Amino acid sequence: SRCASPAATAVARGPWSFRRAGWTIPWMPRRPLPIQRSWSPGADPDGPAVSRMLPDHLILASASPRRLDLLRQVGLDPEVRSPDVDETRLHDEDVASMVERLACAKRDAVAGEGEWVVAADTVVVVDGEVLGKPGTPEKATAMLRLLSGRSHQVLTGVAVAGPLGRASTTVCTEVAWRELSDEEVASYVATGEPLDKAGGYGLQGGGADFVVELVGGRDNVIGLPVTTVLELLATVGPTDDGWRRLPGG
């Protein structure tokens, strides 16, 4: 199934295009987003300049260097705590529910009372089949051949905690690939890059060459929809405690 999304305007970005409106499955925040808070994530460097306010101390419940890098791009340098969570899919569980549940489990595994925490879980879905991290060259090859010349969805469950509570949601991005030759697949697998990435490719690396269209957030495909993270964090903390304004904000 395709991502459900509101209409949006396409914006050129390198070898692909994407739409700036977030492909986000609806969620209900614990309280309205304070209008005085806004951010300028690294995902849209050409967007209008806005003020940026971020937590003083944030915990990332993930050992992913890609998620850490995305948070650092918006001025955060989180403490990393790697959660130990059973990621087995439940019987008859839909994919969106699964990634959100796992993100919540990762958050809850490391969150202390009142701490600011971000957790995420990302999978690639094609024709209803969930593609996680291949782990071996053989599985990576099979995944790349499956994705070749087709569209697929990247779903990320995002969960946060803060002084006022916890919140979560799911974000979806639609990605279309060109046809790949057997030589291209073999060459990419030989780099080792696909082995530890959901769906067997990295948009921030060699996998970018395969993409012809991207509808939704680029950061989501890399592993963490930063704008959504910041919006959720704003719903679980007070307006005047635990946040700092970055220079120029």
Side-chain angles (χ1 to χ4, degrees):
S1 61
R2 297 173 64 87
C3 301
S5 170
T9 304
V11 180
R13 283 291 184 278
W16 57 76
S17 66
F18 69 93
R19 294 187 175 97
R20 291 181 58 187
W23 288 64
T24 307
I25 295 174
W27 54 279
M28 183 63 68
R30 292 178 180 268
R31 60 189 177 87
L33 182 68
I35 60 174
Q36 69 267 35
R37 292 185 178 175
S38 55
W39 303 269
S40 180
D44 188 14
D46 299 326
V50 294
S51 63
R52 296 181 293 175
M53 301 178 70
L54 302 169
D56 277 325
H57 182 71
L58 181 68
I59 296 159
L60 173 62
S62 172
S64 167
R66 296 168 293 281
R67 290 178 178 140
L68 180 60
D69 182 60
L70 286 169
L71 290 172
R72 284 175 171 169
Q73 287 178 29
V74 294
L76 288 164
D77 190 15
E79 172 190 347
V80 174
R81 296 182 189 171
S82 184
D84 183 13
V85 171
D86 181 358
E87 300 189 19
T88 304
R89 187 176 181 181
L90 302 179
H91 179 64
D92 289 336
E93 185 177 35
D94 66 83
V95 179
S97 297
M98 179 189 73
V99 293
E100 185 169 355
R101 174 181 60 82
L102 291 176
C104 289
K106 292 175 181 180
R107 173 200 63 197
D108 296 345
V110 305
E113 184 68 27
E115 290 184 313
W116 296 94
V117 181
V118 172
D121 187 76
T122 301
V123 297
V124 170
V125 182
V126 56
D127 290 342
E129 181 178 353
V130 176
L131 306 182
K133 300 174 183 178
T136 67
E138 294 75 20
K139 289 182 179 179
T141 298
M143 285 186 183
L144 294 171
R145 287 175 175 167
L146 180 63
L147 297 173
S148 175
R150 309 174 65 184
S151 293
H152 61 270
Q153 297 76 45
V154 180
L155 279 82
T156 299
V158 181
V160 304
L164 295 185
R166 304 186 178 199
S168 62
T169 191
T170 305
V171 178
C172 184
T173 301
E174 185 92 13
V175 184
W177 276 22
R178 62 177 176 80
E179 291 279 355
L180 305 182
S181 68
D182 290 343
E183 291 76 16
E184 284 179 306
V185 170
S187 178
Y188 185 51
V189 171
T191 68
E193 182 177 281
L195 302 187
D196 67 340
K197 295 173 177 61
Y201 75 99
L203 187 63
Q204 74 282 11
D209 184 53
F210 308 150
V211 177
V212 294
E213 185 179 22
L214 189 155
V215 183
R218 179 178 182 272
D219 285 356
N220 184 47
V221 182
I222 297 175
L224 191 68
V226 178
T227 300
T228 299
V229 167
L230 296 174
E231 289 172 348
L232 283 178
L233 285 172
T235 71
V236 296
T239 59
D240 58 355
D241 180 53
W243 291 69
R244 61 185 169 84
R245 184 181 295 275
L246 296 183

